[in-house]
Amino acid sequence: MTQPPTAPPTSPPVQAVPPDGPGNGTAPVATGSTAPEPGEAALGSLGPPRRTAWSEGVQRVRTAASTEPGRLRAIGAVLAALLVLFGAVSAWQVSERVTAADAVVDHSQPLSADAAHIYRSLADADTSASSGFLAGGDEPRSERRRYEKDIREASELLAEAAANSGGSPTARRQIAILNRGLPVYTGLVESARADNRQGLPLGGAYLRYANEKMRGELLPAARKLYTAETRRLGGDLDEARSRPLLAVGCGVVALGALGWAQRRNYRRTNRVFNRGLLGATAAALALLVWLTAGHVWARSGLNESETTGARSLQALNEARIGTLQARGDENMTLVARGGGAAYEESYQKQMAKVAGNGAPVDKDGGEGGDQDGGKGGDQEGGERGGLLADAREVADDRTGRSAVEDAQRAVRTWQQRHKQARAEDDGGDYEDAVDRVIGAEDSTRESFDAVDDSLSRAAAHEQRQFEKAADAGRDWFDGLVAGALALAVLGAAAAVLGIGRRLAEYR
């Protein structure tokens, strides 16, 4: 009897363990299978690594740039950015030049003029003090009032200079020296005046000490202050006249980009004009022309203010300083009573600087008048005619030249009268020599006043010339900052609209 075939052995059935329930702490396990190693399931379920946001953004830009709409959007963004950059840089550079031009007109030039005025006031005060001393105990009230006016003006101008000296350490240092030394000087002058009224010879010694204080400390400090303020004026002028090269460069780049964009548009669409891009080009071109022309005319006006005003004022200031020093030396020669050889030598040196080593140059360019002015050799004036010839040469019109010529004639008369005064003093006629120097008529004082009045008139004229030219130059900057920003924004908007018209064709 045969046996029935046996079934092949089979794997035991998989029994599922019921899920966790109350009181059951075992986890469901599939029997008959091998559990995966820790971490295998997690690793096996991960896809390719995800890219960063940056790389995805770059990829999107690349994809967009491969299409014409994407390229147009990029071109529009670049054009708008270039136009805005052009306007911003133009506004920035023009604003700097406006600030410098304002400083020239409102600060540095007035401060330079005030510094020169401080020097002249101090030198004139010293001259007035010596003139009053020569008059003896009965000092003329006009000389006393002139001295007090000079000291008061110098003190007031020093206070203003201290408030507006800014960050200049040189100016602050010289102002401090002047503020400390001026009360000492006035005290010495008052002591000399008091002793002179009593007929005491000690008064002359006090006045010499005061003169040494003025010449050795106060006037050098005032000269350094004037030099520092004049240097600041030159720096402000240079900054106001500097060319806005960066802004012009940005404008050229923006116009080049607009031209390229329109050429590209024409080649792809065969359309000659795009109104938006044309408007943007017009705005950029208008700003570039305004920027260039405005700067050229402003520079021209500021250059004129320097050549017709600032240089003339500097030459006149030097001439006035020289005449004041010569007048002070002339007075002190007599105050010293026989011991004034050093003062006389200084007088001759100062007059050589003022009038030159020969006669002043006449209006026809030749030499004229008396040949006794100066002792030759000292050429600090820069020309044979001296500082007055320099001032006449840089005067730009008839009014300025005429005033300087009047001063030259008065200097020649002064020199002749000085020779007569020296001859009388050397001959022992001291009283007549003093009268020849400080008298009301036919005296060197009269000649000095004529020189100073003429130079003062010339300086006032040149000051008006400077202010007129500088104001005209500064006015060319008016509205350019706001105009630059407005035109840049309009140009950027027009460029975006022009590109937007092209993009609309793809929708």
Side-chain angles (χ1 to χ4, degrees):
M1 184 173 190
T2 61
Q3 298 288 334
T6 59
T10 59
S11 300
V14 177
Q15 298 180 357
V17 179
D20 292 341
N24 189 354
T26 61
V29 180
T31 59
S33 63
T34 304
E37 293 295 329
E40 285 185 2
L43 289 173
S45 62
L46 289 177
R50 186 174 179 179
R51 291 177 297 177
T52 63
W54 170 257
S55 60
E56 289 182 355
V58 170
Q59 183 60 38
R60 283 196 295 268
V61 170
R62 288 178 178 174
T63 302
S66 63
T67 65
E68 181 62 13
R71 285 191 286 268
L72 288 173
R73 292 188 182 93
I75 291 172
V78 170
L79 291 177
L82 285 175
L83 288 165
V84 170
L85 178 64
F86 176 33
V89 173
S90 298
W92 164 54
Q93 293 205 301
V94 171
S95 178
E96 286 189 337
R97 282 146 185 81
V98 169
T99 301
D102 288 340
V104 166
V105 177
D106 299 330
H107 298 288
S108 53
Q109 199 283 327
L111 285 174
S112 177
D114 286 347
H117 195 171
I118 289 171
Y119 192 105
R120 292 195 305 271
S121 295
L122 293 175
D124 192 64
D126 195 52
T127 298
S128 299
S130 58
S131 296
F133 186 89
L134 286 175
D138 189 17
E139 179 182 5
R141 299 190 63 176
S142 59
E143 292 292 347
R144 178 66 177 176
R145 286 195 296 267
R146 182 168 179 169
Y147 167 82
E148 292 174 346
K149 176 176 177 290
D150 288 332
I151 295 298
R152 183 173 61 254
E153 288 181 351
S155 300
E156 292 173 353
L157 291 172
L158 281 173
E160 293 180 11
N164 296 286
S165 60
S168 173
T170 301
R172 291 198 303 270
R173 186 164 53 251
Q174 304 313 317
I175 291 171
I177 293 173
L178 290 167
N179 282 328
R180 287 195 304 267
L182 189 56
V184 177
Y185 170 80
T186 55
L188 290 171
V189 170
E190 292 305 320
S191 297
R193 181 176 285 114
D195 288 342
N196 193 39
R197 283 196 298 265
Q198 299 176 45
L200 300 176
L202 191 59
Y206 274 117
L207 191 62
R208 287 194 297 273
Y209 294 153
N211 181 263
E212 291 173 3
K213 180 76 172 177
M214 178 65 72
R215 298 293 184 90
E217 181 178 328
L218 299 183
L219 290 182
R223 163 72 76 171
K224 291 179 181 178
L225 176 62
Y226 171 67
T227 301
E229 297 300 345
T230 302
R231 189 181 300 116
R232 182 196 293 190
L233 170 60
D236 288 338
L237 271 171
D238 290 341
E239 185 175 353
R241 295 178 298 186
S242 60
R243 296 178 175 86
L245 297 179
L246 183 58
V248 172
C250 289
V252 171
V253 171
L255 283 173
L258 286 165
W260 172 84
Q262 291 176 87
R263 181 173 180 273
R264 180 182 184 277
N265 182 62
Y266 169 72
R267 295 182 65 181
R268 289 179 175 269
T269 65
N270 209 27
R271 297 172 183 169
V272 178
F273 299 118
N274 180 294
R275 293 180 181 178
L277 295 180
L278 279 177
T281 303
L285 185 60
L287 176 53
L288 185 60
V289 170
W290 189 4
L291 175 67
T292 305
H295 180 77
V296 167
W297 287 108
R299 182 183 176 89
S300 175
L302 292 170
N303 282 337
E304 183 181 356
S305 72
E306 182 181 31
T307 56
T308 64
R311 289 181 183 175
S312 297
L313 284 170
Q314 291 174 16
L316 290 168
N317 285 332
E318 293 296 332
R320 295 182 75 183
I321 287 169
T323 57
L324 284 166
Q325 290 181 346
R327 176 61 179 170
D329 288 327
E330 185 178 50
N331 288 343
M332 292 303 298
T333 302
L334 294 175
V335 170
R337 283 185 175 264
Y343 292 113
E344 174 63 18
E345 181 180 355
S346 178
Y347 164 85
Q348 295 295 343
K349 181 179 179 180
Q350 293 300 327
M351 290 302 286
K353 288 171 59 178
V354 171
N357 66 337
V361 180
D362 63 23
K363 66 179 70 177
D364 297 322
E367 296 178 10
D370 185 41
Q371 295 292 321
D372 296 323
K375 290 190 176 181
D378 192 293
Q379 290 297 306
E380 293 184 34
E383 296 288 344
R384 192 163 187 254
L387 293 170
L388 287 175
D390 291 346
R392 181 188 179 280
E393 182 178 353
V394 297
D396 64 301
D397 59 12
R398 179 61 189 167
T399 302
R401 285 193 297 271
S402 176
V404 177
E405 288 166 0
D406 290 343
Q408 289 177 307
R409 286 189 288 271
V411 163
R412 290 197 291 271
T413 303
W414 182 1
Q415 290 172 319
Q416 294 169 354
R417 291 173 177 175
H418 177 82
K419 287 181 62 178
Q420 296 170 357
R422 292 310 314 142
E424 292 173 350
D425 187 32
D426 293 340
D429 196 350
Y430 180 78
E431 296 299 330
D432 286 346
V434 169
D435 188 61
R436 182 74 67 178
V437 170
I438 65 171
E441 296 181 359
D442 298 331
S443 64
T444 59
R445 171 188 176 180
E446 186 180 29
S447 299
F448 164 74
D449 288 342
V451 172
D452 196 60
D453 289 344
S454 297
L455 294 179
S456 178
R457 188 170 70 252
H461 172 72
E462 298 299 341
Q463 180 68 32
R464 291 191 295 270
Q465 294 287 94
F466 174 88
E467 292 174 355
K468 179 180 178 181
D471 284 336
R474 181 176 59 172
D475 289 345
W476 284 100
F477 288 128
D478 287 349
L480 188 49
V481 174
L485 296 175
L487 286 172
V489 171
L490 288 174
V496 171
L497 289 174
I499 296 296
R501 292 291 301 272
R502 287 282 293 120
L503 284 172
E505 299 173 1
Y506 291 88
R507 296 171 184 167

